[in-house]
Amino acid sequence: AQTVTQSQPEMSVQEAETVTLSCTYDTSENNYYLFWYKQPPSRQMILVIRQEAYKQQNATENRFSVNFQKAAKSFSLKISDSQLGDTAMYFCAFMKGNNAGNMLTFGGGTRLMVKP
Amino acid sequence: ETGVTQSPTHLIKTRGQQVTLRCSSQSGHNTVSWYQQALGQGPQFIFQYYREEENGRGNFPPRFSGLQFPNYSSELNVNALELDDSALYLCASSPKRMNTEAFFGQGTRLTVV
């Protein structure tokens, strides 16, 4: 079974600054995907960024980037130039890559507050 | 907006009752997954339906059951409700089983009293 751990229950950052959210995971799989999801007060889960484990290059999406350390089983999210709209819960998630009844395993979340 | 709609948005049920939650998947998506998110926690996978058949199940008892219809919409049924079933129930649809493209609805907040 896979586990995902987010060790920071809450984080805060000043607007326009950079913040890094941590995530570690445990798996015996070699083929898998990692995700960061954002959940604002509207409750809808929104995909922020996705990383394929077989890719060594770290994924980036505009102001969002990840630091994927496969050997250390670490997958952190960096948000640059933080904006007030980034205030939300952030969840790290894992998915096996075997294309059979795939499910997302989520961490416990990090509440991010962006302060003006 | 993802095009995934869930109904109702909120409901209150009494312990021991049964509840049905509904999910209308995004057009063209044949895979629907359901998740339970207890307050202050991350979502937990309940099950997934692909082309009207259950395609995977998490660690939930049999009183959690589901259906997927020919139009790929889905229902989650919970029998014999317990207080611990109080949670946000999220539905996610995907264009294929390999749901790296999962799109979530806004959830149904279920309160069991």
Side-chain angles (χ1 to χ4, degrees), chain B residues 34-36 44-47 57-64 85 89:
Chain B
W34 286 91
Y35 293 82
Q36 181 195 65
Q44 286 194 303
F45 175 76
I46 303 174
F47 43 57
R57 189 177 184 94
N59 189 27
F60 280 81
R63 59 190 186 82
F64 285 78
D85 296 333
Y89 288 85

Side-chain angles (χ1 to χ4, degrees), chain B residues 14-19 63 78-82 85:
Chain B
T14 302
R15 189 172 47 184
Q17 285 187 318
Q18 179 265 345
V19 70
R63 59 190 186 82
V78 187
N79 293 323
L81 283 167
E82 302 176 359
D85 296 333

Side-chain angles (χ1 to χ4, degrees), chain B residues 48-60:
Chain B
Q48 181 182 86
Y49 277 83
Y50 170 67
R51 293 188 175 178
E52 303 179 55
E53 293 193 1
E54 188 177 289
N55 189 48
R57 189 177 184 94
N59 189 27
F60 280 81

Side-chain angles (χ1 to χ4, degrees), chain A residues 33 39 43-44 50 95 101, chain B residues 37 55 99-100 104 106-107:
Chain A
Y33 297 79
Q39 188 178 40
R43 311 183 316 199
Q44 189 169 44
R50 169 177 51 230
M95 186 177 73
Chain B
Q37 185 178 15
N55 189 48
N99 58 340
T100 61
F104 283 83
Q106 290 185 299

